[in-house]
Amino acid sequence: MDKTAEEENIKEVEDLALISVIGFEGGTRHGLISHPDKKHIIYPMGTKVIVQNWETKKQVFQGSHSNNVSAITISCSGKYIATGETTQMGFKAPVTIWDLEEKKTFQKYEIHKMKVVAVAFSSDERLVFSLGGRDDSNVIVWDLKNMEAICGSPAVGPSSGEVTTICTPSLHSRFFLTGGNGNLRIWNIIPETRTLKFREASVGMTKRHVLCIVVDEENKHMYCGTSTGDVMKLCLNLPTHPKNDDSFNSPALLNCMALVPFSKGDNSKTVDCYHNGVRALALLSDEMMIIGAGDGQVDMVREQKKKTVKPDGIAIKNPTKPLLKRVRCTSVKAEITSLVVINEQIIVGTMSSEIYSIDLKSFQVTLAVTCHTSRIYGIAFPYNYSKVFATSGENEIRVWNTEKSQELLRIRVPNFICTVVLFSRDGKSIVSAWNNGTIQAFTPQTGKIMYVIQSAHTKGVSAMDMTSDGKKIVSGGCEGQVRVWKVSLQEQILCGALQEHRGPVSSIQIKKNDKEAVSGCTDGTCIVWDLERLVRSQIIFANTLFLCVRYYPNGCQILTTGTDHKISYWETFDGSLIRELEGSLSAPVNSIDITKDGKYLVTASNDLLVKVWKYNEGTVTHVGVGHAGVVTAARVSDDGKYLVSVSSDGAIFIWNFPHELSEDMEEIATEDQEEADKTQDSDLPGNKNGESGKREENSKKTSKKVSSKTTKK
C-alpha cells in the first residue's frame, strides 16, 4: 500500500460515539462537585469528565484527557471547569480549563511535575490556583485573561508535610487557602509585583493534618476537617473590604470541635471523634453542618454555642470546645471522598466508586451510581437481546441495563474472581467460571444458584463456552486442560479431558454446529477440537501468547490475537495463515469480537483503545478513546446497536456501534455450515458412504468464499 492510500485510511478513521459511562473515580479527592444550577453533578472517570443531569441521569462528556484526572473544580458561574492530571515520573502534569458552554478547551498550562492534587477558581473567575503533588509541592497562580502564569511559590516550608487541599473565599478574589499535614496557610496575590505573600494560621500547639477546608458565605470563618476526627474552626481575619487587601492578619484558631457522645448512656464520658478523619464538609444555614467521615459516617451536626466549657458528665480534651451535637446520622459503609448538597439532597462519593443520595430531611440513603471497583474480566450479551449485559470481576457478577446504565442484579461470591460470564442460549441461566476451579450457574432474575461443578479445574477455570442447546460446556483451565461437560439441573458429568496445551487456556469458542471448538493458549498453540470424538482436529503454532480466539460466523476461518500485537486470520481446515493485521503498534491485543454478519470486528488492547475494523479490507474505521486502564474486553450486541468495552480500572463504556449490520452474510454462513456439516457427518467412522475427499473439497470451497476477499492485494 502506497503513502497516499495510507493517508486516506488514516483520515477515514473516526471517533466512536460514547453513549454512557458506568463508573466513578472514587479515589479522586473532592472529585464529585455540583454545578451552580443545582441540576447537574460533575465527576471524573479515568480520562473523561462526566457532566450528569441528576434528575434525568443524562450524561455529557467534557473533553478527553491524556491521563487520569486527579483534581477537578468548577467556577462560580458554572462556565468553566478546571482539571488536573496525573502523569509519569519526569513528565509535566497539565492543568486544563474547559469551556463548559462551548464544550471545548479554553486554556491549558503545564508547569507542575507528575501530579496536580487540587485546583480552584477565584471568585471573579479571573485566576486559577493549582497545587502540585508530593514531587512538585508548588502552588501556581494562572491568569485566564492574559493566559499566563502570574506567580508561583513552594506551598510548604522545609519542615512541613505535604499540602493536599485548596480553597477560595467567595468575596476576596486575591486570597486563597491551602492545608495539609501540619500546615495551614492563607495566601495573598500581588499582581503588580507578581508575587505571593502568605501567613501561617495561628493554631498554637495544635497539630493537625487538614483534609478539607470550607469557608462560610460571609468569609468570616473557615472550617477544616482533620485526620484526627475533629473540626477546626478559625477566624479568617480578612480585610473588611475586598479592595483593601494589601495587609491581612493570620487566621486564628477559635476551637476544635468534637462530637457529644451519641448515646446518653455512654459511660466513657469522653468526646467522640470521627474514625479515619473528617474527609468532607458542607455548610448549611442555621449553623448546621454536614460531615463525611473516613468510615462512611454522614452526620448533620449543630455547633453548640454554650458559655460553659465543660458540659455535665463529659471530660473535655483540649481544645474540643464547643462541641458538635448530632441532629441526624447515617452511614454509607465506605470511606467518603466527596460531599455536596443540592436540592435538599446530600450527594456522597465514596472510595468504593459509588455515589449515594441522602435525603436531607429523612436521611434515607439511596444508591445512585455504582460500578466495579477493580479489573473487569468479561462481558456477555444474551442471545439476540441487547437491552441487558453482564460483566464479571473480583467477587461478583453484575447485570446491567444497557439503555439506563443501571445495575439490575449483583451476584457475589466473596474472595474469588469470576473469569468468564455468559448467558445460555435460552436466556434461562447465567453460567460463570471462577478462579477457585468451579463452574457456577445462576438464575438471571434473582441470582439464585442453579448448580455448581466443583473442582472443574485444579488451578482455576480460565476460559469457557456453552453449546447452543445448553447441554454441554467446554472449559479451559490454568493447568492447560480442556474439559467437556454434559450439564443439566440434575447432574453435571465430565465427558472427557483433552490434554495437549502446556499452559493456561486463555480463550475458548464453540462452533455454531456445536460439533467443534477452538481453544487458544499462552503456550503459543491454538487447537481445534472435535467435540463428538473428543480428539484434536487441527493445531496452529505461532510465536505469540494467544489471548483470544474467535470463529468467523460460517466457521471457515479463525481469528486470533495475542502478545505479538497482531490480528491473525487462519484456515480452519488446514491451520494455514491467511493474513496478519497490525492490531496495535505498541501493546498486546486482549480481546476480539466479530459481528453477526461477519463484516466487522472489534478489538481491545493494552494501549487503552477500542478499534472497529472492516473484516475483508483489514482497515480501521473507528477508534474509541477514553479508557484510563487496560481495555480487557469488548463485545458487540447481536443487533449491532451497542458496543461495550471494559477495563482494568473497573470502568464500563457503552458506545454506539457505527455500522449497520446485514443478514446476508449470516444466511450464507448458515448455508455453508449446513453443507459442511452434511459432508462431515457422511465421513464419520461407520458410515459406508463416507468419502474423505468430498469433505476436504467442500471445506476448501467454503473457505475460499471468505479467503478470496481477505487475502492481501
Side-chain angles (χ1 to χ4, degrees):
M1 188 180 289
D2 57 3
K3 275 190 175 181
T4 307
E6 287 181 356
E7 290 175 358
E8 288 179 358
N9 287 336
I10 292 171
K11 289 180 181 178
E12 290 176 358
V13 176
E14 300 177 7
D15 291 334
L16 281 173
L18 187 59
I19 299 175
S20 66
V21 175
I22 302 175
F24 165 61
E25 196 68 46
T28 303
R29 298 292 177 182
H30 314 298
L32 176 65
I33 57 178
S34 63
H35 194 278
D37 64 4
K38 300 298 181 182
K39 295 180 180 179
H40 295 81
I41 61 169
I42 303 167
Y43 57 90
M45 183 62 226
T47 62
K48 294 283 186 183
V49 173
I50 302 171
V51 182
Q52 181 176 349
N53 188 305
W54 191 243
E55 296 179 357
T56 64
K57 306 303 180 184
K58 184 179 179 181
Q59 293 179 339
V60 178
F61 308 99
Q62 186 63 47
S64 183
H65 299 75
S66 302
N67 304 281
N68 287 9
V69 177
S70 58
I72 185 170
T73 189
I74 191 168
S75 62
C76 297
S77 66
K79 184 178 181 181
Y80 300 114
I81 292 178
T83 57
E85 300 179 28
T86 301
T87 59
Q88 302 299 322
M89 181 70 72
F91 291 87
K92 296 289 186 180
V95 175
T96 309
I97 297 94
W98 307 88
D99 191 317
L100 193 57
E101 297 175 355
E102 298 184 6
K103 298 181 181 179
K104 65 178 184 180
T105 304
F106 180 61
Q107 291 179 35
K108 185 176 183 178
Y109 64 92
E110 297 183 359
I111 301 176
H112 295 288
K113 299 176 183 177
M114 194 171 170
K115 184 178 181 180
V116 179
V117 297
V119 286
F121 282 98
S122 62
S123 57
D124 59 0
E125 299 184 356
R126 171 73 183 268
L127 306 173
V128 174
F129 313 113
S130 56
L131 191 62
R134 182 178 301 175
D135 299 300
D136 183 86
S137 298
N138 287 320
V139 59
I140 302 296
V141 181
W142 182 264
D143 190 340
L144 292 178
K145 185 176 181 180
N146 298 323
M147 293 188 292
E148 62 176 357
I150 296 179
C151 50
S153 173
V156 291
S159 60
S160 299
E162 185 180 356
V163 181
T164 55
T165 185
I166 192 169
C167 181
T168 55
S170 58
L171 301 178
H172 296 75
S173 60
R174 293 188 180 182
F175 287 91
F176 65 94
L177 306 155
T178 61
N181 189 3
N183 58 79
L184 185 60
R185 288 180 174 181
I186 184 169
W187 300 78
N188 183 24
I189 307 156
I190 313 297
E192 295 78 15
T193 59
R194 302 171 73 94
T195 56
L196 274 173
K197 293 183 179 180
F198 71 88
R199 290 185 183 273
E200 299 282 356
S202 300
V203 295
M205 298 298 292
T206 305
K207 299 295 181 184
R208 293 290 189 272
H209 183 179
V210 177
L211 302 175
C212 57
I213 303 173
V214 292
V215 179
D216 61 13
E217 293 182 357
E218 298 178 354
N219 289 184
K220 290 184 178 180
H221 301 101
M222 60 185 288
Y223 298 83
C224 304
T226 69
S227 61
T228 313
D230 54 10
V231 179
M232 298 170 62
K233 181 179 180 181
L234 296 94
C235 180
L236 272 177
N237 293 324
L238 289 173
T240 55
H241 196 278
K243 293 185 178 180
N244 300 329
D245 55 4
D246 293 334
S247 60
F248 62 102
N249 297 321
S250 300
L253 178 64
L254 298 177
N255 42 65
C256 287
M257 299 179 289
L259 280 169
V260 174
F262 185 73
S263 175
K264 294 182 179 179
D266 190 358
N267 296 322
S268 63
K269 297 184 179 180
T270 59
V271 295
D272 284 345
C273 290
Y274 288 96
H275 297 290
N276 296 330
V278 176
R279 303 282 172 171
L281 288 171
L283 299 180
L284 303 176
S285 57
D286 301 327
E287 300 175 351
M288 304 288 283
M289 186 188 310
I290 304 295
I291 294 177
D295 61 349
Q297 187 77 15
V298 181
D299 285 355
M300 178 189 291
V301 298
R302 177 185 287 112
E303 180 183 346
Q304 284 189 337
K305 292 191 175 181
K306 294 183 179 180
K307 294 182 179 179
T308 55
V309 175
K310 182 178 180 180
D312 296 337
I314 298 177
I316 300 300
K317 294 183 179 180
N318 185 56
T320 54
K321 56 175 185 178
L323 298 175
L324 297 174
K325 186 175 181 180
R326 281 191 181 98
V327 178
R328 293 185 182 276
C329 66
T330 187
S331 177
V332 294
K333 300 178 181 179
E335 180 184 339
I336 295 172
T337 57
S338 308
L339 188 151
V340 294
V341 179
I342 58 171
N343 300 333
E344 301 298 320
Q345 286 183 315
I346 306 169
I347 313 300
V348 177
T350 69
M351 184 65 78
S352 60
S353 299
E354 294 179 328
I355 299 177
Y356 292 88
S357 173
I358 303 174
D359 186 84
L360 199 57
K361 295 181 179 179
S362 64
F363 254 57
Q364 183 177 357
V365 180
T366 303
L367 179 61
V369 176
T370 182
C371 67
H372 288 274
T373 57
S374 56
R375 185 184 183 95
I376 301 175
Y377 290 83
I379 316 167
F381 278 98
Y383 178 71
N384 282 342
Y385 193 73
S386 63
K387 292 185 178 180
V388 299
F389 66 93
T391 55
S392 61
E394 293 185 12
N395 309 315
E396 61 192 6
I397 299 169
R398 301 196 188 197
V399 180
W400 307 88
N401 183 303
T402 313
E403 296 175 348
K404 297 181 179 179
S405 301
Q406 293 180 348
E407 182 182 284
L408 301 176
L409 176 68
R410 187 185 303 186
I411 303 170
R412 288 189 59 82
V413 180
N415 305 320
F416 297 110
I417 297 173
C418 180
T419 55
V420 185
V421 62
L422 54 89
F423 288 91
S424 61
R425 184 74 172 261
D426 57 10
K428 294 182 179 180
S429 63
I430 298 174
V431 186
S432 58
W434 299 81
N435 70 335
N436 64 345
T438 63
I439 296 174
Q440 304 184 37
F442 305 90
T443 57
Q445 295 291 336
T446 62
K448 185 179 178 181
I449 195 160
M450 299 173 67
Y451 61 82
V452 179
I453 303 177
Q454 299 286 355
S455 303
H457 288 270
T458 57
K459 295 184 179 180
V461 186
S462 55
M464 183 182 65
D465 199 7
M466 194 175 204
T467 57
S468 58
D469 58 7
K471 295 181 179 180
K472 282 186 179 180
I473 290 176
V474 180
S475 62
C478 293
E479 79 285 349
Q481 286 190 6
V482 174
R483 297 185 176 183
V484 182
W485 305 85
K486 185 178 180 181
V487 296
S488 64
L489 288 176
Q490 292 75 26
E491 58 181 2
Q492 301 83 43
I493 302 172
L494 177 63
C495 299
L498 310 174
Q499 307 181 40
E500 294 209 26
H501 289 300
R502 295 295 181 266
V505 179
S506 56
S507 180
I508 288 177
Q509 190 182 31
I510 299 174
K511 203 173 182 179
K512 281 189 175 181
N513 62 1
D514 294 338
K515 297 178 181 180
E516 284 186 359
V518 60
S519 61
C521 182
T522 55
D523 64 353
T525 61
C526 184
I527 300 178
V528 179
W529 305 96
D530 187 322
L531 297 183
E532 294 184 339
R533 294 182 293 169
L534 297 180
V535 295
R536 185 186 76 192
S537 298
Q538 191 55 254
I539 187 168
I540 296 170
F541 294 97
N543 189 22
T544 183
L545 306 182
F546 286 115
L547 299 178
C548 189
V549 58
R550 287 288 180 270
Y551 273 112
Y552 188 73
N554 65 5
C556 68
Q557 290 184 2
I558 296 171
L559 268 71
T560 61
T561 62
T563 55
D564 60 354
H565 311 171
K566 297 185 184 300
I567 304 169
S568 302
Y569 295 56
W570 308 86
E571 287 279 10
T572 307
F573 175 72
D574 57 4
S576 60
L577 179 65
I578 301 173
R579 73 186 300 185
E580 284 186 337
L581 303 176
E582 197 71 32
S584 173
L585 296 176
S586 59
V589 181
N590 297 317
S591 174
I592 190 169
D593 194 28
I594 306 172
T595 57
K596 201 172 182 180
D597 61 358
K599 291 185 177 180
Y600 306 99
L601 58 93
V602 176
T603 58
S605 55
N606 281 18
D607 57 8
L608 316 185
L609 299 178
V610 179
K611 296 180 181 179
V612 179
W613 304 70
K614 288 184 178 180
Y615 187 92
N616 292 336
E617 291 81 354
T619 57
V620 180
T621 63
H622 293 75
V623 175
V625 181
H627 280 286
V630 170
V631 187
T632 55
R635 293 288 180 271
V636 182
S637 59
D638 284 349
D639 59 3
K641 187 176 181 181
Y642 300 107
L643 166 60
V644 178
S645 59
V646 296
S647 55
S648 59
D649 59 353
I652 302 172
F653 282 50
I654 302 176
W655 313 85
N656 181 29
F657 190 72
H659 303 290
E660 292 185 4
L661 304 186
S662 62
E663 297 181 358
D664 297 339
M665 281 297 292
E666 186 180 2
E667 292 175 359
I668 294 172
T670 305
E671 292 173 0
D672 291 343
Q673 187 61 64
E674 290 175 354
E675 183 181 354
D677 292 345
K678 289 178 182 178
T679 307
Q680 186 176 7
D681 290 341
S682 63
D683 196 37
L684 291 176
N687 192 330
K688 297 180 180 179
N689 299 323
E691 296 180 6
S692 59
K694 288 183 180 180
R695 179 183 178 189
E696 180 178 350
E697 183 181 353
N698 287 331
S699 297
K700 287 183 177 180
K701 285 181 180 179
T702 304
S703 179
K704 284 180 181 179
K705 292 182 181 181
V706 177
S707 61
S708 61
K709 297 180 181 179
T710 57
T711 306
K712 290 183 178 178
K713 297 180 180 180

